[in-house]
Amino acid sequence: MRLAKRVQNLKESPTLAVTAKAKTMKAKGWDIISFGAGEPDCDTPDNIKEEAIRSIEEGFTKYTKVGGIDELKDAIIEKFRRDNGLRYSMDEILVSCGGKHSFFNLCQALVEEGDEVIIPAPYWVSYPAIVRIAGGTPVIVPTNEDGGFRMTPEMFESHITPATKAVIINSPSNPTGAVYSVDELEAIAEVAVRMGVLVVSDEIYEKLCYDGTSHVSIASLSREMKGMSIVLNGVSKAYSMTGWRIGYAAGPKRLIKAMTDIQSQSTSNPTSISQKAAAEAIRGPQDSVLKMREGFKRRRKVVVDGLNSIDGVSCMEPAGAFYVFPNIAGFLSKRYNGTAVNNSVDFANFLLDEAEIAVVPGVAFGAEGHIRISYAVSMEDVEEGIKRMREAVDRLE
Ligand SMILES: *Cc1c(COP(=O)(O)O)cnc(C)c1O
């Protein structure tokens, strides 16, 4: 059997691969602490679960409109107005089976052979993969710690070519936690509008901003910018609903219509029950979100201070999300038990074998010399994991 060209270079998402390896080791009796997960550690709030149970009992278990039920779209429209100062109509919203699916639909509707999509690195692993599946070419713009892992307008502009279709802004960012300031977004918006480049704004972590920074949607900066933006969001991270698979997109009618048509010929509607639950999440009480954010904020401090206290590790304190992206370049070219540690994958394997902690190698996000640590784990695990890491790197020679 000869598989299609589009899957020949496709790999399993490396974040899922590390989590899977850690799970296997755990099942075999290893005492693994996993910093690999890309999801909150708390349960979905009760009011949301109860809404789902009610909708099952009431028989809300059939096909719905392909692009999402009106009730959920209304809640999303109201959320954009309330949280982001953005006004959308029903036909400018599409509900999909997760934020990842929203991005997939977008690329299928927008990108074809020869098209370029600008992606600042470190990036969410799915962006380049999904652009490639659509036949497009990811154009990676490297950023570094000195610049706070944020792309400047100059870096953006210098990567634009006649083939550029879109640029991706993910603020707060997975994997770095970086948050763009309003001034930085204004400057990027200016370039996008002047050069006619669509901005894909992935705002899935908007509820997780710390230190008084608040999330601003680039689409809200001006009327022109709104017309040049597609905003991606969802309930996975803010409401700890990763398994429910609800994400959404908001943008120009013509694009949303094309994305909806793709969805109608692939998955059809997202799960009816999940849509009801998501509506409750978005318009119900928001206190669980604040509580979760406070918990993350406490752990962020412990993880950042802990990492910076390890000789050879340096870690920027990020303003959002639940990840840190420490620099571990100082350990590369060292050895343990005769094995060389040459790159971030070797280092992640070293931590798994020698410290029984699971992290994701930076190279998965397009940034060698780093690892991603998710602090969506208990405070005890954060403290124990840092301690193990300190002891393990001491043994590198
Ligand atoms: C988790 C995540 C998403 C969306 O995840 P879904 O579970 O598919 O909704 C989108 N973008 C980034 C950067 C993420 O980390």
Side-chain angles (χ1 to χ4, degrees):
M1 188 185 0
R2 192 170 52 80
L3 296 180
K5 229 188 267 159
R6 84 175 67 82
V7 296
Q8 285 172 8
N9 292 318
L10 195 61
K11 288 177 222 95
E12 182 193 10
S13 156
T15 47
L16 299 181
V18 170
T19 323
K21 181 173 173 190
K23 266 190 190 141
T24 310
M25 287 176 76
K26 220 174 195 167
K28 286 187 186 154
W30 293 63
D31 171 28
I32 305 288
I33 294 177
S34 181
F35 291 120
E39 60 187 348
D41 56 327
C42 49
D43 199 3
T44 303
D46 284 340
N47 62 310
I48 300 171
K49 291 191 200 170
E50 282 155 15
E51 180 62 28
I53 292 165
R54 193 173 317 127
S55 67
I56 292 175
E57 283 172 353
E58 287 173 2
F60 194 74
T61 54
K62 303 290 173 66
Y63 291 135
T64 71
K65 282 188 183 173
V66 166
I69 56 175
D70 288 358
E71 182 187 340
L72 175 54
K73 283 197 180 183
D74 277 335
I76 291 167
I77 287 167
E78 173 54 21
K79 174 242 152 340
F80 274 120
R81 203 189 53 73
R82 175 187 77 204
D83 296 350
N84 310 107
L86 282 163
R87 285 178 191 279
Y88 289 107
S89 53
M90 283 283 195
D91 51 9
E92 293 174 311
I93 306 283
L94 169 63
V95 182
S96 300
C97 313
K100 186 182 280 187
H101 187 218
S102 300
F103 184 68
F104 192 91
N105 286 330
L106 169 66
C107 288
Q108 290 296 314
L110 187 74
V111 176
E112 61 195 354
E113 215 71 43
D115 289 342
E116 296 177 356
V117 176
I118 296 177
I119 306 175
Y123 46 72
W124 186 42
V125 293
S126 294
Y127 298 140
I130 292 173
V131 166
R132 276 195 205 99
I133 292 173
T137 307
V139 173
I140 307 301
V141 181
T143 71
N144 59 34
E145 291 146 296
D146 295 341
F149 290 120
R150 297 188 298 271
M151 181 179 67
T152 64
E154 293 78 23
M155 290 155 76
F156 170 30
E157 189 160 358
S158 70
H159 286 81
I160 298 174
T161 74
T164 305
K165 259 300 182 35
V167 61
I168 299 172
I169 300 293
N170 173 217
S171 174
S173 152
N174 173 8
T176 66
V179 178
Y180 284 74
S181 72
V182 179
D183 289 348
E184 289 165 339
L185 291 177
E186 298 260 12
I188 286 172
E190 189 278 321
V191 177
V193 168
R194 176 161 47 82
M195 304 298 285
V197 175
L198 183 84
V199 174
V200 180
S201 184
D202 183 346
E203 307 183 1
I204 195 95
Y205 293 100
E206 75 167 322
K207 301 288 183 197
L208 298 175
C209 285
Y210 313 109
D211 309 328
T213 53
S214 58
H215 170 80
V216 172
S217 175
I218 192 166
S220 69
L221 294 178
S222 69
R223 177 182 293 272
E224 295 75 29
M225 196 55 235
K226 182 171 174 245
M228 295 287 301
S229 304
I230 181 127
V231 179
L232 307 181
N233 208 325
V235 295
S236 284
K237 308 295 159 57
Y239 305 99
S240 200
M241 290 176 71
T242 47
W244 300 73
R245 310 311 303 130
I246 296 289
Y248 52 88
K253 256 179 223 162
R254 206 158 68 90
L255 182 53
I256 291 291
K257 165 83 168 62
M259 291 165 63
T260 309
D261 290 345
I262 295 279
Q263 182 161 304
S264 78
Q265 296 297 2
S266 47
T267 59
S268 299
N269 64 274
T271 307
S272 58
I273 303 149
S274 293
Q275 290 190 65
K276 283 276 192 182
E280 170 62 20
I282 293 168
R283 52 165 199 227
Q286 301 292 304
D287 46 313
S288 63
V289 182
L290 297 180
K291 220 175 101 201
M292 180 171 72
R293 185 173 69 196
E294 285 314 302
F296 280 142
K297 199 176 149 186
R298 279 194 298 276
R299 283 172 272 172
R300 178 188 64 147
K301 179 161 172 40
V302 174
V303 81
V304 170
D305 291 351
L307 287 168
N308 280 320
S309 75
I310 299 175
D311 246 353
V313 180
S314 68
C315 184
M316 181 188 99
E317 181 168 75
F322 44 71
Y323 310 103
V324 291
F325 203 63
N327 186 318
I328 50 91
F331 299 119
L332 306 186
S333 80
K334 297 204 172 196
R335 313 176 69 81
Y336 72 105
N337 294 343
T339 310
V341 176
N342 289 327
N343 51 48
S344 59
V345 173
D346 293 347
F347 189 73
N349 276 313
F350 156 74
L351 288 179
L352 202 47
D353 296 340
E354 296 293 305
E356 295 175 43
I357 61 180
V359 302
V360 186
V363 70
F365 310 97
E368 228 350 309
H370 292 264
I371 53 173
R372 188 191 74 175
I373 290 182
S374 160
Y375 54 88
V377 296
S378 70
M379 188 63 104
E380 295 78 68
D381 279 0
V382 168
E383 285 167 346
E384 172 67 17
I386 298 283
K387 184 171 143 256
R388 288 189 195 177
M389 185 168 164
R390 184 194 321 281
E391 288 165 3
V393 298
D394 247 7
R395 298 199 292 273
L396 283 170
E397 47 202 33

